Amino acid sequence: MLPLTIWVTLAFAAAAAAVPSRDGAHKLRERVVPPRGWTKRAPAPADHTIELRIALPQNDFPSLERHLYEVSDPYHERYGQHLSKEEVEALVAPHGESVHRVNEWLASHGLVEDALDRSPAKDWVMVKVPVSLAEEMLKTEYHVWTHDASGDAVIRTTSYSLPEWLDGHVELVQPTTAFSRMHALRTTFRFDSTSSAAPKLASDAPPISVPSASGGHVDASCNKTITITCIQQLYNAVGFAPSAKNGNQIGITGYLEQFANEADLQTFFAEQRPDAVGSSFKTVLVNGGVNNQTLDEAGAEANLDTQFAYGLTFPTPATFWSTGGSPPFKPDVLTPDNSNEPYLDWLAFVHKQKHIPQTISTSYADDEQTVPPSFAKRVCNEFAQLGARGVSLMFSSGDGGVGDGEEDPALQECFTNDGRNATRFVPLFPPSCPFVTGVGGTIHVPETAVFFSGGGFSDLFPRPAYQEAAVTKFLDTLAPGTYAGLFNPHGRAIPDVAAQADLFRIFLSGRAVSIGGTSAAAPTFAGIVSLLNSARLSAGRPPLGFLNPLVYALRGTPAFNDIATGNNPGCGTPGFNATKGWDPVTGVGTPNFGKLKEVVLGDLVL
Ligand SMILES: *[C@@H]1O[C@H](CO)[C@@H](O)[C@H](O)[C@H]1NC(C)=O
Ligand SMILES: *[C@@H]1O[C@H](CO)[C@@H](O)[C@H](O)[C@H]1NC(C)=O
Ligand SMILES: *[C@@H]1O[C@H](CO)[C@@H](O)[C@H](O)[C@H]1NC(C)=O
Ligand SMILES: *[C@@H]1O[C@H](CO)[C@@H](O)[C@H](O)[C@H]1NC(C)=O
């Protein structure tokens, strides 16, 4: 992005010039190779409605980023002095000239203010148009594309153009080139054969000695079945009682038509958190999200996330966002297209809120290489806005180790999506965004890295300063030439942290099931973070906000349990090793709530 001074110069120059020709030459903005597994079908129906989302450049994102790092750096004097909604909006507001030119462009196609919907900062404009008009505006042709495996259909194009005089005034337009498919992160999902009988959660075996755990040991049963009690013991959180009334809240995002079932939650509470029976959470529907409480329609992902996050943080007020936008459009129906860009729908919704839960967990992601770079960068910057406002964002790091999790080599996607088909590891987005906290996975007690824990290096985002020392140290331990060409050694590295990720006992459609995936790790880690935020708020301190600078400042201290065994195979390789110090399997390790609490309350310098 250009520095501010140059923007001002350009703006004056433009204002002095004649009104630019409305048509003029178009310039190609983006051309993508559609990800494997999509097939081009018929031209899109001309009268089918799509909602174009036009992103205007955020005028002063570099300042927002500077504020974010200052208020998130535990050694900075501004630590914890988060920005207000209005302060963030002022920093990301587009330049007036951009608003003006985009208005001109839209008006030249008959689209005036009444037809437009704008974000609070005016950095997004949304407008519903027929495909025929979108094609004219973007000098492109839309087609119906189907996803081979699921049969889902979307209306997309592989390239689009904009008038040259919008250069520097429009960052991106979607839906155009984004074919990515977000998926729930969950590897294993099996019904527990013992579920109809009384649950055997206790074990006669002597407890397992874990020096960092509450009381120095963990129930023997936790090596086979993870419950709320196991997490509290293992992460040294037994006995901490968060407040229901200090303003602290926790939020879970749900996508892909998933909702959390309240009856299942009560069954879960009755078994694992009896004092929480009768308590519930608030479901907020975003853009056509669903909340069908029919018992056998609940989502495994939604139930897992809510049962563990809320089970760990009761009585903290809890929110579940059910965001629509999927399954995508059916080509035979002439209703407005679901954008199928659910992160944007959710972000647009929460950016408008005055109060946002301080801790938010998301267990959905896409293969980074399937997300158009312009789109990934903008969405990542939008996550930074939440961090600047004091929100901690946790994302599962992925369930395919260094690969995509596909066991059948013929179906593996360990290839670049740039037409070259070069072999490449597969980092996931959003965890590859440097402004969120990526959560990898462990298994068993004592803990070891779980084989599916997603980890690696972004091909899109350069390495942020906060992890430079930790990651360089790891890279120096690799034998020269290790996996050369398979990953970007200069990229943002994931994950940042880890938590238990398998053998979780939850309730689904009235039955106990055992479930795993980094899907389980993210809400578990988020639960611990929410307890820390509760301690902070009760002590009259601000919430933790963007966590990573603090996380890396505490690496190698007792605040985290360093995981140094296990590895994360994928793409036909054994993947990386969990090692002493940060590693691309378990990050800096799993949390020790007791130690972290002393640190964040300022009572312990590590
Ligand atoms: C935990 O389970 C794993 C896998 O079954 C086993 O190898 C390990 O010995 C067990 N740990 C303890 C302390 O029993
Ligand atoms: C929920 O789903 C069931 C089964 O698909 C359906 O019969 C019912 O009408 C749905 N209820 C609502 C409120 O959408
Ligand atoms: C890449 O792989 C796809 C699908 O397997 C194939 O259709 C295409 O021809 C390959 N491209 C190159 C350049 O090898
Ligand atoms: C992982 O550790 C094993 C055993 O020490 C070693 O042989 C292997 O080279 C290591 N792998 C990587 C990628 O460093």
Side-chain angles (χ1 to χ4, degrees), residues 208 223 444-446:
I208 303 168
N223 201 29
H444 294 317
V445 181

Side-chain angles (χ1 to χ4, degrees), residues 25-29 105 137-138 160-167 170 172-173:
H26 269 236
K27 187 166 149 188
L28 180 69
R29 276 313 191 86
W105 174 55
M137 294 165 74
L138 304 172
Y160 69 99
S161 310
L162 288 172
E164 266 180 357
W165 57 274
L166 288 177
D167 263 17
V170 173
L172 63 94
V173 181

Side-chain angles (χ1 to χ4, degrees), residues 19-20 22 99-109 111 165:
V19 174
R22 278 172 180 168
V99 176
H100 173 71
R101 289 197 182 202
V102 169
N103 284 350
E104 278 277 304
W105 174 55
L106 293 171
S108 74
H109 292 284
L111 303 167
W165 57 274

